[in-house]
């Protein structure tokens, strides 16, 4: 079987400018943040991001990596709005395709099934139609004749997701309460990369959780990255919760000068430097929030 | 002394009465109290989550770790599927709402370069065409109740008519001043009741469009049982007073 273990930087080195990237997780939960940080360090640009958005969106906005965002919301959950996303939008810098959450789901399902679109009621009558002038409706060919939105497939060049455990071959497991849409993101993508808290031997995967926790099988996985604390500062239950103190610091640092300092302290080095800086942040702050 | 927050919570609770065995999705403190109160009184079959993926058999206090037995699993994917089947009811917030119940939570100002970027349309377009949707506004003002919303996230009665949205069911808006419904002319907003101590004129002056006003009742007070449940069981930390000051 093919060994798919890579580093985060190797994953990112395989990406190209202008790609459409799907990022898993939801809000500020189980985001593949180590992979996002590797993108921040790279020269990649003009990306289109498809995301149930959290700080992945904010960080990529702050670094000027995005040309376009396809989303239904951007939130840090305990902090309702991401300040970098807001700032980028309010400066008019970021193109967006904004859909209902269920429309994003329909678009990913269509892509995963190699269908051009899937019908949905969501979006009818709302300004989502006007915001996305390419959107079309379709009339049911059956006797009901209902008019529905034809949500186009959201085809991804690459999916990036973070799970709790994986083996070297790309079988990956979530141990938290919610799979989010990571399996669908991977199925909708040409190539998928999974970062995880720990790589374990295949025969030990079921020591951690039941068979139904094995969310991804290796058909969908092109690379596996072991990156402990790799979802930080988002949550990765049950391995760790959201780092609320750090998230508040991130949000409070969004003004230009404070952001320079934040970037220098946390983001300019590699992942190891980041994790050390986070540990130092908590030591100086006293306790982890 | 009964607080305004408690009156609001009971008004929210009343919106769940006929929901049956539906998934309740309340957003905000007062709607969350309302849904819990409804389950403990008039709507015992409501499904409630822990705010993440667990359905809880018990009714836990706000802001406290749950020790309730789990009765089911409701990850986001299932929520999105279930809502299209109609067995869900929400009480959402609204940054803006107009006379027909068109709601905006996405952005204020021009679409391409918003003055204020908010959270995004979230599930509002889908909720409002698939199942019963009500709104909660913690601070009734002309900034929220506007002649025309900057962006339609959740659709109102006029839009629903235009597109033939057969499952559209936007019923009420509960605010810190009043309960409003859509039984005015052409499905427009009507003042159903004002909370104790609030004048009809107050509501009108803080609403940016003409409300239909006919028989305006006074919003009912909580019963002793409801008050005890709110104060002792559901919200012992008084989180409700932060959302609607006494």
């Amino acid at each position: 079987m093919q060994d798919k273990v890579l580093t985060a930087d190797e994953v990112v080195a395989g990406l190209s400018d202008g790609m459409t990237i799907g990022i898993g997780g939801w809000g500020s939960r189980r985001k593949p943040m180590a992979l996002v940080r590797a993108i921040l360090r790279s020269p990649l640009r003009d990306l289109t991001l498809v995301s149930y958005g959290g700080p992945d969106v904010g960080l990529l906005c702050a670094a000027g990596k995005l040309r376009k965002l396809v989303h239904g919301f951007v939130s840090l959950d305990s902090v309702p709005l991401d300040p970098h996303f807001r700032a980028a939008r309010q400066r008019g810098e970021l193109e967006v395709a904004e859909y209902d959450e269920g429309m994003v789901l329909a678009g990913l399902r269509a892509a995963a099934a190699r269908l051009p679109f899937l019908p949905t009621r969501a979006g009818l009558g709302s300004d989502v139609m006007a915001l996305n002038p390419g959107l079309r409706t379709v009339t049911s060919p059956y006797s009901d004749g209902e008019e529905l939105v034809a949500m186009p497939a959201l085809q991804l060049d690459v999916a990036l997701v973070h799970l709790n455990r994986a083996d070297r071959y790309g079988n990956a497991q979530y141990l938290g309460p919610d799979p989010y849409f990571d399996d669908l993101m991977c199925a909708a993508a040409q190539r998928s990369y999974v970062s995880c808290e720990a790589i374990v031997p295949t025969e030990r995967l079921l020591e951690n959780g039941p068979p139904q926790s094995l969310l991804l099988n290796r058909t969908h996985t092109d690379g596996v990255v072991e990156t402990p604390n790799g979802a930080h500062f988002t949550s990765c239950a049950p391995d760790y919760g959201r780092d609320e103190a750090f998230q508040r610091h991130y949000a409070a640092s969004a003004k230009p000068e404070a952001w320079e300092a934040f970037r220098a302290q946390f983001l300019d080095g590699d992942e190891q430097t980041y994790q050390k800086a986070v540990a130092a942040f908590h030591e100086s702050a006293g306790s982890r929030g | 002394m009964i607080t305004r927050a408690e009156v609001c919570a009971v008004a929210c609770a009343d919106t769940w009465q006929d929901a049956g065995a539906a998934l309740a999705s309340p957003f905000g403190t007062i709607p969350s109290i309302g849904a819990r109160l409804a389950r403990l009184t008039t709507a015992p079959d409501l499904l409630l989550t822990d705010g993440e993926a667990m359905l809880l058999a018990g009714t836990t206090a706000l802001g406290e770790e749950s020790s309730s037995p789990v009765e089911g699993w409701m990850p986001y994917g299932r929520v999105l599927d279930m809502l299209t089947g109609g067995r869900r009811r929400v009480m959402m917030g609204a940054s803006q709402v107009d006379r027909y119940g068109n709601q905006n939570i996405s952005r204020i100002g021009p679409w391409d370069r918003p003055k204020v970027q908010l959270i995004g349309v979230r599930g509002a377009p889908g909720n409002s065409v698939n199942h019963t949707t009500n709104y909660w506004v913690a601070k009734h003002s002309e900034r929220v109740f506007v002649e025309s919303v900057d962006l339609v996230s959740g659709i109102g009665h006029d839009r629903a008519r235009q597109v033939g949205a057969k499952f559209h069911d936007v019923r009420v808006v509960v605010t810190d001043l009043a309960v409003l419904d859509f039984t005015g002319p052409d499905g427009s907003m009507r003042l159903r009741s004002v909370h104790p101590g609030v004048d009809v004129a107050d509501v009108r002056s803080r609403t940016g469009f003409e409300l239909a006003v006919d028989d305006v009742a006074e919003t009912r007070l909580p019963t002793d049982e409801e008050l005890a449940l709110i104060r002792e069981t559901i919200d012992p930390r008084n989180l409700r007073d932060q959302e609607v000051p006494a």
Side-chain angles (χ1 to χ4, degrees):
Chain A
M1 248 179 310
Q2 192 193 343
D3 187 312
K4 294 173 184 166
V5 176
L6 296 171
T7 66
D9 289 325
E10 285 170 339
V11 168
V12 170
L15 310 183
S16 324
D17 292 349
M19 271 189 166
T20 297
I21 299 182
I23 290 192
W26 174 281
S28 192
R29 303 169 201 212
R30 222 181 63 227
K31 286 286 174 179
M33 298 298 281
L35 295 175
V36 169
R37 288 187 282 269
I39 294 176
L40 300 180
R41 292 193 297 272
S42 77
L44 279 175
R45 50 197 287 273
D46 290 332
L47 301 174
T48 292
L49 178 61
V50 179
S51 179
Y52 289 105
D56 49 333
V57 174
L59 281 164
L60 292 168
C61 282
K65 296 293 187 189
L66 300 185
R67 186 179 64 78
K68 183 176 178 182
L69 175 69
V70 180
H71 76 106
F73 66 88
V74 180
S75 173
L76 306 177
D77 299 326
S78 54
V79 176
L81 304 169
D82 183 283
H84 296 292
F85 166 64
R86 297 190 85 181
R89 287 289 298 138
Q90 290 169 199
R91 286 194 301 263
E93 283 173 9
L94 183 66
E95 191 186 333
V96 289
E98 183 170 329
Y99 298 113
D100 171 90
E101 294 162 4
M103 295 174 80
V104 175
L105 175 58
L108 291 172
R109 280 182 174 153
R114 299 187 294 180
L115 292 169
F117 71 91
L118 276 175
T120 173
R121 271 188 202 97
L124 278 180
S126 79
D127 279 339
V128 166
M129 304 305 289
L131 291 168
N132 299 282
L135 263 182
R136 295 288 176 265
T137 59
V138 62
T139 304
S140 165
Y142 299 105
S143 58
D144 58 281
E146 187 174 352
E147 191 180 23
L148 298 157
V149 176
M151 179 64 200
L154 291 174
Q155 282 157 346
L156 309 176
D157 294 311
V158 168
L160 304 176
V161 301
H162 185 81
L163 275 74
N164 301 84
R165 303 287 179 271
D167 68 11
R168 306 180 69 82
Y169 314 108
N171 300 300
Q173 180 176 46
Y174 78 107
L175 300 173
D178 202 313
Y180 308 118
F181 298 91
D182 290 2
D183 49 343
L184 197 53
M185 283 274 181
C186 292
Q190 295 297 313
R191 286 190 283 148
S192 300
Y193 297 96
V194 186
S195 62
C196 65
E197 291 298 310
I199 292 178
V200 298
T202 305
E203 58 271 24
R204 289 187 53 198
L205 282 168
L206 290 187
E207 288 175 13
N208 295 296
Q212 60 269 33
S213 65
L214 298 169
L215 188 65
L216 296 178
N217 66 62
R218 57 192 168 76
T219 59
H220 282 308
T221 321
D222 296 275
V224 180
V225 178
E226 185 177 54
T227 174
N229 215 29
H232 183 271
F233 49 91
T234 71
S235 63
C236 187
D239 292 314
Y240 46 90
R242 185 180 304 126
D243 188 341
E244 299 287 359
F246 191 88
Q247 177 163 286
R248 282 194 299 274
H249 182 57
Y250 159 81
S253 301
K255 296 271 189 308
E257 265 182 41
W259 187 246
E260 290 286 312
F262 184 97
R263 212 181 54 203
Q265 188 180 356
F266 296 107
L267 301 174
D268 285 351
D270 60 11
E271 180 68 13
Q272 215 182 355
T273 310
Y274 173 81
Q275 296 290 351
K276 276 186 192 157
V278 170
F281 166 80
H282 285 295
E283 269 166 37
S284 67
S287 67
R288 193 177 166 120
Chain B
M1 155 104 178
I2 295 168
T3 65
R4 181 68 61 79
E6 289 161 347
V7 171
C8 293
V10 168
C12 290
D14 284 346
T15 69
W16 304 94
Q17 267 186 48
D18 63 336
L23 175 64
S25 294
F27 294 86
T29 300
I30 301 282
S32 296
I33 295 172
R36 284 169 166 81
L37 183 60
R39 184 155 83 168
L40 290 170
T41 56
T42 56
D45 294 330
L46 278 183
L47 302 177
L48 290 174
T49 73
D50 62 352
E52 301 231 8
M54 296 301 142
L55 290 171
L56 299 181
T59 303
T60 56
L62 244 59
E64 285 175 21
E65 198 73 16
S66 166
S67 57
S68 162
V70 168
E71 66 167 330
W73 183 53
M74 189 59 60
Y76 287 113
R78 285 203 178 180
V79 174
L80 293 181
D81 285 341
M82 190 168 179
L83 81 84
T84 64
R87 289 179 173 268
R88 178 175 183 252
R89 178 177 297 198
V90 302
M91 181 167 253
M92 300 185 76
S95 303
Q96 293 178 323
V97 63
D98 73 12
R99 72 176 73 226
Y100 294 107
N102 294 292
Q103 169 251 29
N104 176 20
I105 49 171
S106 173
R107 61 191 86 145
I108 307 291
W111 294 358
D112 292 340
R113 187 172 177 170
K115 195 163 130 247
V116 183
Q117 173 67 47
L118 302 170
I119 198 163
V121 297
R122 282 218 93 149
N127 294 344
S128 57
V129 294
N130 279 306
H131 59 58
T132 305
T133 300
N134 296 311
Y135 296 110
W136 159 246
V137 173
K139 199 166 187 317
H140 193 128
S141 80
E142 283 180 277
R143 292 179 58 184
V144 177
F145 289 85
V146 294
E147 189 66 52
S148 174
V149 299
D150 290 6
L151 192 160
V152 176
S153 304
I155 75 170
H157 291 268
D158 54 343
R159 296 275 189 123
R161 272 196 304 272
Q162 283 163 24
V163 297
K166 57 186 174 182
F167 302 117
H168 179 264
D169 186 22
V170 171
R171 296 188 187 177
V172 298
V173 184
V174 178
T175 79
D176 59 334
L177 300 182
V179 180
L180 307 122
D181 62 27
F182 294 93
T183 60
D186 300 323
S188 63
M189 199 183 287
R190 169 184 162 272
L191 184 55
R192 178 188 286 184
S193 70
V194 290
H195 302 338
V198 177
D199 290 332
V200 170
D202 293 341
V203 180
R204 281 182 140 160
S205 72
R206 286 162 67 176
T207 302
F209 51 83
E210 196 59 38
L211 280 172
V213 176
D214 41 60
D215 288 332
V216 181
E218 185 167 273
T219 311
R220 77 175 181 91
L221 292 172
T223 64
D224 291 344
E225 185 207 357
E226 287 171 329
L227 274 184
L229 287 169
I230 293 171
R231 293 174 180 177
E232 290 155 30
T233 306
I234 301 171
D235 185 27
R237 298 184 183 189
N238 296 325
L239 297 177
R240 61 192 178 280
D241 297 337
Q242 290 169 28
E243 199 164 73
V244 177

